[in-house]
Amino acid sequence: PCWFKPFWPRIPVTAMTAGHMWHHEGCMRRLFLHMLHLVVLSRRLRAAPRFSNVFHSNMVLQRGKPIDVWGFDADSGTNLMVALGVPDAVPLLTSSTAGNPNGSWRVKLPAAPAAAVGLSMYLTLVECGSVEPAQIFEDVTVGDVFLFAGQSNVDLPEAYAHQ
């Protein structure tokens, strides 16, 4: 084994012979090479670029306004493209960007056309040069987004809305 085994009876480190120290240094060299190998592997097994957690399937994006989209885990300088469109068709909106040194990225999609309101679309993140998309969200639509805040009367059944 590579690790240093103590001898019986225990010999103080200062009393070891040169041969024992060479064996210990060899273990350290092997340990260093294993650690270096792990660092190289971790760079190869990096996480794929992804959207921020505020984006997900079955969401509504505000119509009539440019759409800010951002995310993480991109390599510095990596070209990314974000597309919004219906399945099996040319995307309605696209925008490209490059990954920042800290792994973050941000794009601004142009405002969606009025014809896109209510369509069930895909929001797709593609790393340029990759065969498959890095991430896809389904059933994304464009429409009016309302944010309600208040007390228990915020939960108003639709049947009472006319009153």
Side-chain angles (χ1 to χ4, degrees):
C2 176
W3 59 87
F4 179 76
K5 288 185 175 181
F7 296 99
W8 187 261
R10 292 197 180 262
I11 301 171
V13 174
T14 56
M16 287 186 184
T17 63
H20 290 119
M21 288 306 287
W22 181 87
H23 175 71
H24 182 65
E25 287 173 10
C27 285
M28 294 305 288
R29 265 189 231 120
R30 284 192 295 257
L31 179 64
F32 174 74
L33 290 175
H34 286 301
M35 296 298 281
L36 183 62
H37 184 70
L38 286 174
V39 169
V40 170
L41 279 178
S42 68
R43 292 189 56 91
R44 287 185 190 160
L45 299 175
R46 66 170 176 76
R50 64 179 177 88
F51 289 108
S52 174
N53 290 339
V54 299
F55 300 101
H56 53 86
S57 293
N58 306 311
M59 70 175 172
V60 178
L61 300 170
Q62 180 62 47
R63 71 181 173 115
K65 304 255 183 202
I67 302 166
D68 282 319
V69 181
W70 64 94
F72 308 101
D73 296 337
D75 285 341
S76 179
T78 299
N79 292 323
L80 302 168
M81 184 182 76
V82 175
L84 180 67
V86 295
D88 301 323
V90 175
L92 296 173
L93 308 172
T94 61
S95 186
S96 296
T97 188
N100 296 323
N102 65 359
S104 67
W105 56 270
R106 178 179 292 268
V107 297
K108 188 177 287 258
L109 293 170
V117 174
L119 291 178
S120 178
M121 298 181 280
Y122 287 134
L123 181 65
T124 308
L125 173 63
V126 178
E127 187 174 0
C128 293
S130 178
V131 178
E132 294 191 17
Q135 194 170 15
I136 299 175
F137 291 129
E138 299 175 349
D139 195 26
V140 176
T141 191
V142 176
D144 289 319
V145 178
F146 294 98
L147 179 64
F148 291 97
Q151 299 173 356
S152 61
N153 60 356
V154 172
D155 186 21
L156 180 67
E158 188 179 337
Y160 298 129
H162 69 281
Q163 298 177 358

